[in-house]
Amino acid sequence: MKGKVLISLALCSVMLSGCDFFRGLAGRPLSSEIEAKREKIELALREKEQRRLDSLARISKIEADSLAAVSRLGELSAVILEARSLGGLVDETQPGYCIVVGSFKNSSNAERLAEKLADNYGARVRAFRNGMYAVTVCDCRSLVRLVGAYETVLNEKFCPTDVWILKN
């Protein structure tokens, strides 16, 4: 009898000593399942933090490239004018930049220059609300790309000395 009581006490102490026993009886997750879930959450948090750091690195690079582009345009004595400072464009366009290689009061003069440059530089005529017509080349959304295009246009024979950049 004494042996049966000892065996019963030993079994009870083993069964009742672990929380997993009670969790299992209650249909709750076991400690191994809780640990797996914790690791999964920690991994997701690490991945989220890495994406945030990668995004910050990309933004820092864009910022550095833009500052370098602005510096280079300063070295080239480039003039940048916003469309709204000239009365605005008649036809609104996408935000970005373009290089103005001619500005005319007569639209036919602007059209002639644009036709000469259309094949190599995609020239187009843009009308301003103040009655002027500008011939633009090298549409760019990025200031960084604009710098290379601007340097290329400056070295062309057709490029006037008063070339400037239009910011849409």
Side-chain angles (χ1 to χ4, degrees), residues 61-130:
K61 180 173 179 0
I62 291 168
E63 186 178 64
D65 290 348
S66 294
L67 289 173
V70 168
S71 176
R72 181 63 183 143
L73 288 173
E75 292 170 5
L76 295 169
S77 301
V79 174
I80 302 175
L81 298 175
E82 290 194 32
R84 67 177 177 209
S85 71
L86 302 168
L89 293 169
V90 172
D91 297 323
E92 294 300 320
T93 60
Q94 295 291 325
Y97 303 89
C98 56
I99 302 168
V100 178
V101 293
S103 184
F104 304 90
K105 283 192 175 200
N106 186 328
S107 65
S108 61
N109 291 341
E111 291 292 338
R112 275 197 300 278
L113 179 58
E115 285 176 21
K116 288 180 186 177
L117 304 176
D119 289 341
N120 294 330
Y121 288 95
R124 58 189 259 198
V125 176
R126 296 182 187 209
F128 287 92
R129 290 192 178 111
N130 65 6

Side-chain angles (χ1 to χ4, degrees), residues 40 42 49 56 64 73 104 119 130 143:
K40 185 177 177 181
E42 286 178 357
E49 178 65 10
L56 288 173
L73 288 173
F104 304 90
D119 289 341
N130 65 6
L143 190 60

Side-chain angles (χ1 to χ4, degrees), residues 145-163:
R145 288 190 180 131
L146 178 74
V147 172
Y150 187 73
E151 288 178 320
T152 300
V153 169
L154 283 178
N155 292 321
E156 292 291 342
K157 290 179 185 177
F158 69 82
C159 183
T161 57
D162 60 348
V163 64

